[in-house]
Amino acid sequence: MSGNRAVVYTGPGNVEVRNTAYPDLVLKDGPGVNPLNVGRKCDHGVILKVVTTNICGSDQHMVRGRTTAPSGLVLGHEITGEVIEVGRDVEFIKKGDLVSVPFNISCGRCRSCKERNTNVCLNVNPDRPGSAYGYVDMGGWVGGQSEYVMIPYADFQLLKFPDKDQAMEKIRDLTMLSDIFPTGYHGAVSAGVRPGSTVYVAGAGPVGLAAAHSAQLLGAAVVIVGDLNAERLAQAKSFGCETVNLAINGNLGEQIDQILGSPEVDAAIDCVGFEAHGHGKGHSEAPATVLNSIMEVTRAGGSLGIPGLYVTGDPGAIDEDSKIGTLKIRFGLGWAKSHTFVTGQTPVMKYHRELMMSILSGRAQIAKAVNATVISLDEAPQAYKEFDRGVSRKYVIDPHGLVR
């Protein structure tokens, strides 16, 4: 092999499909690569032929120019692929295996990984704990919205599908195991969702829809999804969720009361993150809105799952505090109500095997819930534009035309 093609961030508002280097088992210098990671040998890794790779809402934060991502960064952290080359030190993963790649890069050797906190691996990112493919300030591991990609620590990280033919039949669902499905599920688990719970999900984008479906799988009695986008709310309603349109009526508690007969829920999940808007007509960006509103509508003693992304560097923020991730949060309210907050990257490996089994058994219908839409690699730039306009689709890139 001598070439590769990939989706590349070229500056605020722009991505392009470019010819890039074919991957090898060494992390080389390039846009965003931490100098301490340059030359890192990955004989414990594999090369994948990418079967599917998804566009994520967190990719959009970079493309909008709302992070410090460098031009030339190859995007993509939601990867499913076929192993076509294995490193010298790989023992259990074999050439030809079809695998899901957790978006967290983790070594399997450090204290965090041994305690199943693979979201904050201590060895893969010299800047801080935790890493991901094709993402700003994550060590510089090359993204997977491409034809081929290198994956380190293969024996530890990769989830092998037990039957390739069965997996390809359900690939639209299984491609969600790399991030969105475990992330939504982690949000629901962190919020304490259990049989009979009433749940509020802030945000009807793909992660919010995944969280809503996950709450249903966990036995929630009622799942309410709130958003400012009517098309995305219609998608939530399509698989049995109640919905509240916060662009029409900004009083969240009032709308929940109309559904439940009470203005509070047992559990709430923030699937919006730092680009949140205020509620009501004429709304504008107000990054603490969702965090404050879910404290208001969650009962005393309840829990808040926060898989929505928050950052320490936002050059496009509305004020100087927000540029460094300092938000005006009503922490006293959360304290008074004895709330539990769970934040941070999702430890994908904690959940992906059980969610795979839910998909293969037919129990989980995640592709339907998030409206999975398969596109070619060349269609990715246009898909980014449509996703940014709020279309209710989860775009799945099929770089080799392998998805039926």
Side-chain angles (χ1 to χ4, degrees), residues 48-102:
L48 295 187
K49 179 179 181 179
V50 177
V51 173
T52 55
T53 176
N54 313 329
I55 296 175
C56 181
S58 54
D59 295 324
Q60 284 286 18
H61 294 305
M62 290 186 290
V63 173
R64 291 187 187 116
R66 296 300 296 268
T67 72
T68 56
S71 176
L73 184 72
V74 175
L75 299 171
H77 56 269
E78 301 190 12
I79 307 163
T80 304
E82 180 184 1
V83 177
I84 59 173
E85 181 182 338
V86 297
R88 179 192 62 198
D89 297 334
V90 178
E91 184 176 1
F92 304 113
I93 293 293
K94 304 299 182 184
K95 186 176 179 179
D97 286 347
L98 186 61
V99 297
S100 176
V101 182

Side-chain angles (χ1 to χ4, degrees), residues 135-147:
Y135 210 84
V136 61
D137 296 333
M138 288 293 182
W141 299 89
V142 179
Q145 287 176 13
S146 57
E147 294 174 328

Side-chain angles (χ1 to χ4, degrees), residues 2-195:
S2 60
N4 194 12
R5 298 172 73 234
V7 179
V8 176
Y9 169 67
T10 59
N14 295 300
V15 298
E16 297 177 4
V17 178
R18 290 184 175 178
N19 293 324
T20 61
Y22 184 80
D24 60 22
L25 298 174
V26 177
L27 184 55
K28 298 180 179 179
D29 198 8
V33 179
N34 188 295
L36 296 175
N37 265 349
V38 174
R40 187 167 181 161
K41 295 181 179 179
C42 297
D43 293 322
H44 43 64
V46 299
I47 307 298
L48 295 187
K49 179 179 181 179
V50 177
V51 173
T52 55
T53 176
N54 313 329
I55 296 175
C56 181
S58 54
D59 295 324
Q60 284 286 18
H61 294 305
M62 290 186 290
V63 173
R64 291 187 187 116
R66 296 300 296 268
T67 72
T68 56
S71 176
L73 184 72
V74 175
L75 299 171
H77 56 269
E78 301 190 12
I79 307 163
T80 304
E82 180 184 1
V83 177
I84 59 173
E85 181 182 338
V86 297
R88 179 192 62 198
D89 297 334
V90 178
E91 184 176 1
F92 304 113
I93 293 293
K94 304 299 182 184
K95 186 176 179 179
D97 286 347
L98 186 61
V99 297
S100 176
V101 182
F103 81 88
N104 323 108
I105 303 172
S106 50
C107 71
R109 297 156 168 81
C110 69
R111 176 180 177 177
S112 289
C113 288
K114 289 177 180 179
E115 294 177 354
R116 299 186 76 199
N117 295 316
T118 54
N119 52 320
V120 283
C121 175
L122 303 176
N123 288 331
V124 290
N125 183 0
D127 285 328
R128 61 173 184 258
S131 191
Y133 303 91
Y135 210 84
V136 61
D137 296 333
M138 288 293 182
W141 299 89
V142 179
Q145 287 176 13
S146 57
E147 294 174 328
Y148 304 95
V149 66
M150 188 270 283
I151 305 298
Y153 304 105
D155 278 332
F156 176 65
Q157 293 192 101
L158 295 181
L159 175 65
K160 176 185 172 181
F161 300 137
D163 183 282
K164 289 178 71 173
D165 291 336
Q166 180 192 29
M168 287 305 296
E169 289 294 327
K170 291 182 175 287
I171 195 66
R172 288 174 177 81
D173 294 281
L174 293 171
T175 190
M176 307 303 168
L177 291 174
S178 56
D179 179 357
I180 183 176
F181 197 8
T183 293
Y185 191 81
H186 177 62
V189 169
S190 299
V193 177
R194 58 184 184 269

Side-chain angles (χ1 to χ4, degrees), residues 228 245-255 278-281 293:
L228 303 162
N245 189 328
L246 295 164
I248 296 173
N249 180 353
N251 190 321
L252 176 58
E254 180 181 278
Q255 294 197 74
H279 299 162
K281 296 179 181 178
S293 66

Side-chain angles (χ1 to χ4, degrees), residues 7 18 39 90 98 134 173 208 213 227 273 305 314 336 346 357 372 375 388:
V7 179
R18 290 184 175 178
V90 178
L98 186 61
D173 294 281
H213 185 47
D227 204 290
D314 175 9
T346 296
M357 297 307 297
I375 60 172
D388 191 50

Side-chain angles (χ1 to χ4, degrees), residues 161-333:
F161 300 137
D163 183 282
K164 289 178 71 173
D165 291 336
Q166 180 192 29
M168 287 305 296
E169 289 294 327
K170 291 182 175 287
I171 195 66
R172 288 174 177 81
D173 294 281
L174 293 171
T175 190
M176 307 303 168
L177 291 174
S178 56
D179 179 357
I180 183 176
F181 197 8
T183 293
Y185 191 81
H186 177 62
V189 169
S190 299
V193 177
R194 58 184 184 269
S197 294
T198 57
V199 184
Y200 174 66
V201 178
V207 170
L209 296 172
H213 185 47
S214 297
Q216 292 173 332
L217 289 173
L218 289 166
V222 182
V223 180
I224 304 168
V225 180
D227 204 290
L228 303 162
N229 182 319
E231 180 182 343
R232 289 182 169 183
L233 289 172
Q235 179 63 27
K237 188 170 286 189
S238 75
F239 60 95
C241 299
E242 299 286 345
T243 61
V244 293
N245 189 328
L246 295 164
I248 296 173
N249 180 353
N251 190 321
L252 176 58
E254 180 181 278
Q255 294 197 74
I256 289 175
D257 190 29
Q258 291 173 357
I259 295 168
L260 298 178
S262 166
E264 292 187 324
V265 294
D266 296 318
I269 310 168
D270 172 7
C271 297
V272 178
F274 74 102
E275 287 194 65
H277 275 230
H279 299 162
K281 296 179 181 178
H283 58 82
S284 59
E285 188 167 320
T289 297
V290 172
L291 293 171
N292 287 327
S293 66
I294 62 176
M295 283 190 280
E296 290 173 1
V297 302
T298 302
R299 66 173 176 82
S303 296
L304 313 178
I306 309 174
L309 176 67
Y310 290 87
V311 297
T312 56
D314 175 9
I318 61 172
D319 56 49
E320 293 303 311
D321 282 342
S322 299
K323 287 182 179 180
I324 58 171
T326 300
L327 308 181
K328 294 181 179 179
I329 299 169
R330 293 186 63 195
F331 190 75
L333 175 62

